[in-house]
């Protein structure tokens, strides 16, 4: 999985162009027209060639090999009437394309400039009516350069960047500010997670941050919901409660625990239960909420239940996001611990278990945070309302949450051991900590595999909707792209 930088982009493009040129004995601009049409899928070009033959292959891509470059030389002493401007011009001031259509250079140039400015320069077709043949990029370049050299450079840049913009296997890194790199995958596994040379990890399919085991559609919906509702949930949970009658959020602006909603309903701030308006200094008349009543939550309305449910998953999602941010800053402290260990007189000088444990922890935090949107959507009513019976939903929910909780428990243990000042431990305790971190790293790796397998095969595979796929779990973490040689 190579990283394509600006300086290696041309080499990457030439590699695919050369394969097509060698197989079909084509000029470079013909090979480029074919590859742009087939979205730079060299194997697709070869497949169409085998299945439909060269005539169909070329026709569909607007490529023709029948043009006669000698056409102008045979008419060197004559004039030609341009069928666009209807002016008689010397033949040396005309240009003929592969389709044998000939027009004056002024009309061609104007046509090309308009197309480039409109962003259609990758496949500029002939001006002749009903002619779909792609114009020779060399002739376009020569004519435009004579009129506007800067625009000709823009045309060349469009052709070069088409290798990324029109290529299913290559995508720009979504880093902000943009690092200028692109990533190319080598197979058809588009739903995968990659790490650019700049350090940004992202989903190759949707270009969002890495979000497995959540599908791209779930993640898109979750991000939208968090943007719209996340701050509201945080504020409500800290400052307001819901009216038991109209379910609107009510903020308390005084010390009294008997509050009144704008709809007129009074209720107890402590338990949220509806009450009357009469109260003494110490209690609300006819109301007590000191003891917990089982099943009280079942009496809440659908609106309130939905918000409570979302709040449950959102808070846990954010807890692991916050932990991930805090533990990412722990790396510097761990590096200092390793330096202290290396300076000591220990028999073993291999402390890779520290870095491996830290990397595992960061990977697990991200996975755990992204597992809560999965719970929210798979076991909710928004996406898969009729996909499971209530009994099936309960069984699968229990299975998933059991794995999720086991992973959560052991991630907290791993975090706890990594936060210890183990460089100050005596050697026997250090070896014990080392073994615990290595064991937990292996255990959590196996639990992650089970969690992904559960989501992939038990939750998503039986669904009627085929729009939900997740990136495969990788024990070593997100795949890192390597440098492409110049």
């Amino acid at each position: 999985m190579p990283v394509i930088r600006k300086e290696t982009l041309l080499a990457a493009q030439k590699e695919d162009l050369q394969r097509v040129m060698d197989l079909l004995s084509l000029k470079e601009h013909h090979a480029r027209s074919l590859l742009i049409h087939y979205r730079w899928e060299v194997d697709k070009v070869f497949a169409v060639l085998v299945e439909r033959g060269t005539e169909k292959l070329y026709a569909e891509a607007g490529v023709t090999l029948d043009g006669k470059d000698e056409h102008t030389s045979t008419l060197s002493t004559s004039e030609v009437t341009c069928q666009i401007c209807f002016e008689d011009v010397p033949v040396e001031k005309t240009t003929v394309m592969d389709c044998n259509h000939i027009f004056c250079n002024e009309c061609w140039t104007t046509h090309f400039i308009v197309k480039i400015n409109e962003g259609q320069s990758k496949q500029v077709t002939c001006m002749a009516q009903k002619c779909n043949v792609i114009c020779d990029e060399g002739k376009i370049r020569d004519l435009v350069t004579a009129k506007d050299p800067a625009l000709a450079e823009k045309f060349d840049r469009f052709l070069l960047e088409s290798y990324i913009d029109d290529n299913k296997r290559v995508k720009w890194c979504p880093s902000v500010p943009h690092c200028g790199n692109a990533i190319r995958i080598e197979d058809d596994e588009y739903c995968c997670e990659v790490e650019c040379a700049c350090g940004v990890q992202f989903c190759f399919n949707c270009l969002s941050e890495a979000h497995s085991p959540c599908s791209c559609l779930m993640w898109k919906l979750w991000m939208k919901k968090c943007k719209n509702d996340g701050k509201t949930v945080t504020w409500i949970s800290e400052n307001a409660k819901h009216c038991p009658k109209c379910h609107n959020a009510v903020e308390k602006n005084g010390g009294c625990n008997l509050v009144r909603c704008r709809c007129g309903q009074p209720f107890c701030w402590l338990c949220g239960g509806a009450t009357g308006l009469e109260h003494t200094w110490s209690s609300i008349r006819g109301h007590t909420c000191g003891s917990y009543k089982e099943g009280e939550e079942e009496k809440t309305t659908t609106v309130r239940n939905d918000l409570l449910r979302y709040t449950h998953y959102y808070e846990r999602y954010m807890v692991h996001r916050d932990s991930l941010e805090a533990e990412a800053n722990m790396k510097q402290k761990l590096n200092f611990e390793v330096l202290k260990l290396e300076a000591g007189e220990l028999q073993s000088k291999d402390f890779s278990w520290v870095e491996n444990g830290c990397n595992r922890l960061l990977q697990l935090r991200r996975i755990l945070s992204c597992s809560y949107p999965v719970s929210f959507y798979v076991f909710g009513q928004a996406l898969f309302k009729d996909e499971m019976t209530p009994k099936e939903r309960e069984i699968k929910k229990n299975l998933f949450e059991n794995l999720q909780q086991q992973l959560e428990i052991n991630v907290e243990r791993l975090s706890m051991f990594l936060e210890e000042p183990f460089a100050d431990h005596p050697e026997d305790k250090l070896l014990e900590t080392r073994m615990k971190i290595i064991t937990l790293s292996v255990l959590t790796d196996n639990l992650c595999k089970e969690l992904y397998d559960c989501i992939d095969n038990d939750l998503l595979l039986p669904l009627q909707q085929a729009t939900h796929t997740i990136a495969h779990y990788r024990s070593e973490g997100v795949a890192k792209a390597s440098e492409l040689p110049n």
Side-chain angles (χ1 to χ4, degrees):
M1 185 183 299
V3 172
I4 300 175
R5 300 185 185 275
K6 289 179 181 177
E7 54 270 23
T8 58
L9 177 55
L10 182 60
Q13 190 184 70
K14 287 279 189 185
E15 185 182 326
D16 285 349
L17 284 170
Q18 198 61 51
R19 289 176 64 191
V20 175
M21 289 163 64
D22 291 345
L23 180 76
L24 299 173
S25 300
L26 294 176
K27 294 178 182 178
E28 184 174 307
H29 74 275
H30 289 139
R32 196 192 316 276
S33 295
L34 278 176
L35 285 169
I36 290 176
H37 179 76
Y38 292 105
R39 295 182 62 82
W40 290 91
E41 291 187 72
V42 178
D43 293 338
K44 178 73 177 291
V45 173
F46 294 166
V48 174
L49 173 67
V50 171
E51 293 171 10
R52 309 185 68 181
T54 55
E55 188 177 339
K56 287 285 187 182
L57 175 72
Y58 295 153
E60 289 180 3
V63 172
T64 181
L65 308 180
D66 299 328
K68 304 294 182 183
D69 287 339
E70 306 81 23
H71 187 70
T72 56
S73 62
T74 61
L75 300 173
S76 58
T77 57
S78 63
E79 290 186 336
V80 174
T81 301
C82 174
Q83 296 300 307
I84 300 297
C85 64
F86 296 104
E87 293 285 339
D88 292 330
V89 292
V91 72
E92 61 269 17
K93 292 186 178 180
T94 64
T95 298
V96 62
M97 294 296 164
D98 293 336
C99 52
N100 285 328
H101 288 125
I102 183 170
F103 302 106
C104 74
N105 290 344
E106 280 294 322
C107 288
W108 277 123
T109 303
T110 302
H111 174 64
F112 296 149
I113 288 174
V114 168
K115 290 297 182 183
I116 294 170
N117 285 326
E118 288 178 349
Q120 301 178 33
S121 58
K122 297 170 190 174
Q123 288 190 304
V124 181
T125 55
C126 174
M127 289 191 290
Q129 190 175 13
K130 296 183 180 180
C131 182
N132 297 317
V133 172
I134 306 300
C135 295
D136 186 330
E137 64 192 49
K139 294 176 181 178
I140 297 175
R141 186 180 299 109
D142 291 343
L143 290 171
V144 175
T145 300
K147 187 87 170 181
D148 188 343
L151 195 63
E153 289 180 11
K154 184 178 180 181
F155 169 70
D156 282 333
R157 190 173 68 252
F158 281 155
L159 288 182
L160 189 61
E161 293 180 353
S162 74
Y163 183 74
I164 297 173
D165 297 335
D166 303 314
N167 194 335
K168 291 171 67 177
R169 286 198 174 95
V170 182
K171 288 187 179 177
W172 292 110
C173 170
S175 56
V176 178
H178 189 227
C179 64
N181 296 338
I183 307 293
R184 184 177 73 192
I185 58 172
E186 301 299 341
D187 50 36
D188 291 331
E189 191 66 44
Y190 300 118
C191 190
C192 62
E193 292 171 337
V194 297
E195 181 178 325
C196 178
C198 70
V200 170
Q201 296 182 350
F202 63 97
C203 170
F204 189 84
N205 186 52
C206 68
L207 296 181
S208 300
E209 62 182 279
H211 56 71
S212 70
C214 194
S215 73
C216 294
L217 178 57
M218 288 183 201
W219 186 252
K220 180 181 178 182
L221 293 172
W222 180 255
M223 285 293 98
K224 183 178 179 181
K225 189 166 186 67
C226 288
K227 183 179 179 181
N228 294 338
D229 301 343
K231 291 181 180 179
T232 303
V233 167
T234 302
W235 186 89
I236 288 175
S237 64
E238 294 175 354
N239 301 284
K241 293 193 177 180
H242 293 277
C243 169
K245 181 179 178 181
C246 69
H247 315 299
N248 286 322
V250 178
E251 181 184 9
K252 189 171 79 159
N253 58 7
C256 180
N257 284 319
L258 175 64
V259 295
R260 189 174 183 179
C261 178
R262 62 185 177 185
C263 73
Q265 176 65 52
F267 66 95
C268 173
W269 182 258
L270 294 176
C271 69
T275 67
L277 279 172
E278 295 183 44
H279 69 105
T280 65
W281 289 109
S282 58
S283 65
I284 302 171
R285 192 179 302 278
H287 175 74
T288 178
C289 59
S291 59
Y292 179 73
K293 297 178 183 178
E294 294 291 342
E296 195 66 33
E297 191 174 293
E298 294 176 5
K299 298 177 183 178
T300 59
T301 65
T302 302
V303 174
R304 187 181 178 195
N305 278 336
D306 285 346
L307 184 58
L308 288 170
R309 183 174 181 273
Y310 170 64
T311 303
H312 171 88
Y313 290 111
Y314 176 78
E315 287 176 346
R316 283 152 184 79
Y317 161 77
M318 285 305 302
V319 162
H320 288 293
R321 298 279 287 194
D322 293 341
S323 295
L324 175 61
E325 186 176 339
E327 287 161 351
N329 297 326
M330 187 171 64
K331 269 195 168 185
Q332 188 174 354
K333 175 232 173 198
L334 290 174
N335 289 336
F336 180 69
E337 294 282 308
V338 170
L339 288 174
K340 287 174 67 176
L341 290 171
E342 288 174 341
E345 298 180 356
L346 299 170
Q347 287 186 342
S348 174
K349 294 295 182 182
D350 179 15
F351 305 111
S352 59
W353 52 272
V354 179
E355 183 181 0
N356 293 340
C358 182
N359 290 337
R360 174 75 66 209
L361 178 62
L362 298 179
Q363 178 192 20
L364 295 171
R365 282 294 185 199
R366 183 193 63 76
I367 289 171
L368 270 173
S369 70
C370 295
S371 71
Y372 281 100
V374 175
S375 304
F376 179 76
Y377 286 111
V378 172
F379 304 118
Q381 302 294 314
L383 289 179
F384 310 117
K385 182 178 180 181
D386 301 318
E387 293 278 5
M388 291 177 272
T389 64
K391 185 67 175 176
E392 286 174 331
R393 182 175 279 106
E394 183 183 359
I395 292 171
K396 291 183 177 183
K397 186 171 184 285
N398 289 338
L399 171 65
F400 175 78
E401 289 182 348
N402 180 50
L403 286 170
Q404 190 182 46
Q405 287 165 16
Q406 285 185 57
L407 181 60
E408 213 159 25
I409 289 167
N410 286 289
V411 165
E412 298 304 336
R413 287 175 180 164
L414 180 59
S415 178
M416 180 182 68
F417 288 124
L418 283 168
E419 286 178 353
E420 287 184 4
F422 47 77
D424 300 326
H425 290 345
E427 188 166 359
D428 58 339
K429 190 175 180 182
L430 174 66
L431 291 174
E432 183 183 340
T433 301
R434 171 184 174 274
M435 185 53 63
K436 286 177 179 176
I437 289 174
I438 292 173
T439 302
L440 283 168
S441 296
V442 173
L443 175 61
T444 51
D445 180 42
N446 290 330
L447 284 170
C448 263
K449 289 174 184 174
E450 290 183 44
L451 185 74
Y452 273 68
D453 183 67
C454 173
I455 294 171
D456 218 0
N457 297 319
D458 295 329
L459 302 185
L460 298 182
L461 188 62
L463 299 176
Q464 298 297 317
Q465 300 182 42
T467 53
H468 297 275
T469 55
I470 62 172
H472 296 308
Y473 174 68
R474 288 169 49 90
S475 295
E476 59 273 27
V478 172
K480 294 184 178 181
S482 57
E483 294 290 342
L484 187 72
N486 286 308

